[in-house]
């Protein structure tokens, strides 16, 4: 059993909601962002920090709350990856997110109906996103964070934790990937990037993404979870998502750095996920005394959608062991 972490009150020390610095954009939003809120009375703010879009849910000046920073998988965004899970936690009064300030980060150009990024703008790497994430942490003056990442988002959090270990209190990693892409995967992703960059979405890529995300049970035509992700793809700009796909294809191996990390981690994975073996390798690379893995039988990569109740309970127990609830 993990001993409670007593440093909770310091995690948001120094946070304020004062004037924005530089040319950062701030807006109060509704619509799709509501899916990340649950209750209409909850404060939500959307801000751009560099190229990253950050949806802040909760009151950042509440010193008694932990800061949860969430990142999505390839070809999704924060609303798609986390919206229904947050709504479930609120409706069932599951305390996975109750009492936290949540920072949902969208990769560049991944918000719904985003304009196409300029052709001349440099393509980024996962390490670049990790460095830009540090600017988000600095912007909100967070001392330590609880990271929540799915797929590529989990990988970015691992890159971030390796670079800035002192700012991480713990990580919740859903279907994480720690190794570099194999040659067949690299070829497949690179082909998808080239096609999508010029022609937009195609049926082959859609099928590959759905197979990556969902178990066979959820892949049945008309299944609500499948319909949700098919619809979400239509609302994303394919030319922008190609850039994150490219960065993911070029990812580096981080397995040797994980054993050096000194925070507590929770890995959630589905046994029917294409990323299941990767998740097991990630668990084997961490310090076993500080890491827990939850394997959900018959579940795909998107455990927060396919197994909301079990995922919420796992997160709750993890946070209790961390002393964050």
């Amino acid at each position: 059993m993990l001993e409670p972490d007593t440093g909770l009150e310091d995690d948001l020390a120094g946070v304020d909601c004062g004037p924005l610095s530089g040319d950062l954009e701030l807006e109060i939003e509704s619509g799709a962002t509501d899916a990340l809120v649950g209750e209409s009375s909850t404060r939500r703010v959307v801000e751009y920090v560099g190229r990253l879009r950050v949806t802040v849910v909760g009151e950042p000046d509440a010193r008694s709350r932990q800061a949860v920073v969430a990142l999505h998988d390839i070809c999704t965004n924060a609303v798609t990856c986390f919206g229904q899970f947050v709504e479930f936690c609120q409706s069932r009064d599951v305390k996975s997110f109750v009492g936290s300030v949540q920072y949902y980060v969208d990769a560049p150009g991944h918000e719904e109906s985003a304009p196409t990024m300029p052709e001349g703008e440099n393509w980024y790497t996962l390490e670049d996103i990790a460095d830009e994430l540090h600017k988000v942490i600095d912007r909100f003056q967070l001392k330590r964070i609880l990271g929540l990442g799915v797929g590529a988002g989990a990988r970015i959090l691992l890159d971030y934790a390796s670079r800035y270990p002192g700012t991480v209190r713990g990580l919740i990693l859903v279907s994480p990937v720690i190794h570099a892409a194999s040659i067949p995967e690299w070829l497949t992703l690179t082909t998808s990037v080239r096609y999508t960059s010029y022609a937009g979405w195609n049926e082959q890529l859609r099928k590959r993404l759905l197979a990556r995300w969902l178990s066979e049970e959820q892949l049945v035509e008309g299944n609500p979870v499948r319909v949700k992700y098919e619809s979400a793809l239509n609302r994303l700009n394919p030319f922008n998502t190609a850039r994150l796909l490219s960065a993911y294809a070029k990812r580096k191996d981080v397995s040797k750095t994980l054993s050096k990390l000194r925070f507590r981690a929770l890995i959630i994975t589905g046994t029917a996920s294409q990323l299941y073996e990767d998740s097991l390798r990630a668990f084997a690379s961490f310090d076993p005394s500080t890491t827990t893995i939850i394997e959900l039988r018959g579940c795909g990569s998107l455990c927060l959608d396919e197994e909301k109740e079990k995922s919420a309970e796992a997160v709750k127990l993890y946070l209790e062991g961390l002393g964050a609830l």
Side-chain angles (χ1 to χ4, degrees):
M1 179 70 178
L2 296 176
E3 294 296 324
D5 185 333
T6 58
L8 174 61
E9 293 184 358
D10 294 329
D11 287 359
L12 292 174
V15 172
D16 64 67
C17 296
L20 299 178
S21 59
D23 58 355
L24 301 175
E25 299 179 37
L26 174 69
E27 54 183 314
I28 304 295
E29 282 206 353
S30 57
T33 308
D34 291 340
L36 295 172
V37 176
E39 298 178 357
S40 59
S41 60
T42 304
R43 176 184 181 272
R44 61 189 181 279
V45 173
V46 175
E47 179 175 328
Y48 286 84
V49 181
R51 293 182 293 181
L52 301 181
R53 182 179 188 265
V54 185
T55 302
V56 185
V57 178
E59 295 291 345
D61 60 347
R63 289 173 56 87
S64 62
R65 297 182 172 191
Q66 69 268 15
V68 176
V69 177
L71 284 89
H72 58 84
D73 192 20
I74 55 173
C75 298
T76 66
N77 58 25
V79 171
T80 308
C81 253
F82 305 110
Q84 290 189 357
F85 182 68
V86 172
E87 184 179 350
F88 172 84
C89 290
Q90 294 285 358
S91 66
R92 301 292 183 89
D93 197 27
V94 178
K95 294 185 178 180
S96 298
F97 288 93
V98 175
S100 68
V101 185
Q102 302 145 42
Y103 300 81
Y104 296 97
V105 180
D106 285 320
H110 278 62
E111 62 270 28
E112 294 186 2
S113 304
T116 300
M117 299 173 68
E119 290 186 12
E121 184 172 326
N122 291 334
W123 287 45
Y124 52 80
T125 65
L126 297 186
E127 291 83 0
D128 292 334
I129 298 299
D131 287 335
E132 292 199 30
L133 181 61
H134 191 56
K135 296 178 183 178
V136 174
I137 307 307
D138 283 346
R139 160 64 191 107
F140 294 101
Q141 301 176 37
L142 306 177
K143 291 189 66 176
R144 289 191 300 168
I145 66 166
L146 292 172
L148 170 63
V150 177
R155 173 50 188 270
I156 292 170
L157 284 172
L158 288 173
D159 283 326
Y160 175 81
S162 298
R163 288 166 176 256
Y164 309 99
T167 66
V168 179
R169 188 179 182 203
L171 292 182
I172 301 168
L173 306 169
V174 182
S175 304
V177 178
I178 64 170
H179 292 291
S182 64
I183 293 178
E185 182 190 5
W186 180 85
L187 287 171
T188 298
L189 288 172
T190 301
T191 300
S192 297
V193 167
R194 289 176 178 173
Y195 190 95
T196 306
S197 298
Y198 292 101
W201 297 118
N202 64 84
E203 191 61 27
Q204 189 175 32
L205 177 57
R206 289 175 183 270
K207 289 180 178 179
R208 285 175 179 161
L209 289 170
L210 291 172
R212 168 191 171 87
W213 293 329
L214 306 176
S215 63
E216 288 187 10
E217 180 180 348
Q218 302 292 337
L219 283 173
V220 176
E221 288 284 350
N223 180 282
V225 178
R226 171 173 177 158
V227 170
K228 166 192 169 180
Y229 280 92
E230 287 178 324
S231 176
L233 279 175
N234 293 332
R235 297 193 297 271
L236 290 181
N237 186 317
F239 306 100
N240 296 345
T241 60
R243 300 193 178 211
L244 183 56
L245 273 175
S246 175
Y248 184 69
K250 299 174 183 177
R251 66 186 185 272
K252 300 176 182 178
D253 190 308
V254 295
S255 58
K256 294 182 179 179
T257 66
L258 301 188
S259 62
K260 301 176 184 179
L261 300 177
R262 292 293 176 262
F263 52 77
R264 295 162 182 176
L266 169 66
I267 296 173
I268 304 176
T269 186
T271 60
S273 166
Q274 288 187 359
L275 306 180
Y276 177 59
E277 295 297 330
D278 293 283
S279 298
L280 295 182
R281 285 194 286 266
F283 176 65
S285 299
F286 271 106
D287 181 344
S289 67
T290 59
T291 308
T292 301
I293 186 168
I294 303 296
E295 301 177 41
L296 300 177
R297 187 169 299 278
C299 185
S301 301
L302 301 179
C303 305
L304 303 186
D305 264 331
E306 288 198 37
E307 291 285 2
K308 296 181 182 68
E309 188 166 359
K310 293 179 181 179
S311 296
E313 184 64 19
V315 172
K316 177 184 176 183
L317 292 174
Y318 167 76
L319 295 179
E320 286 178 348
L322 204 61
L325 289 181

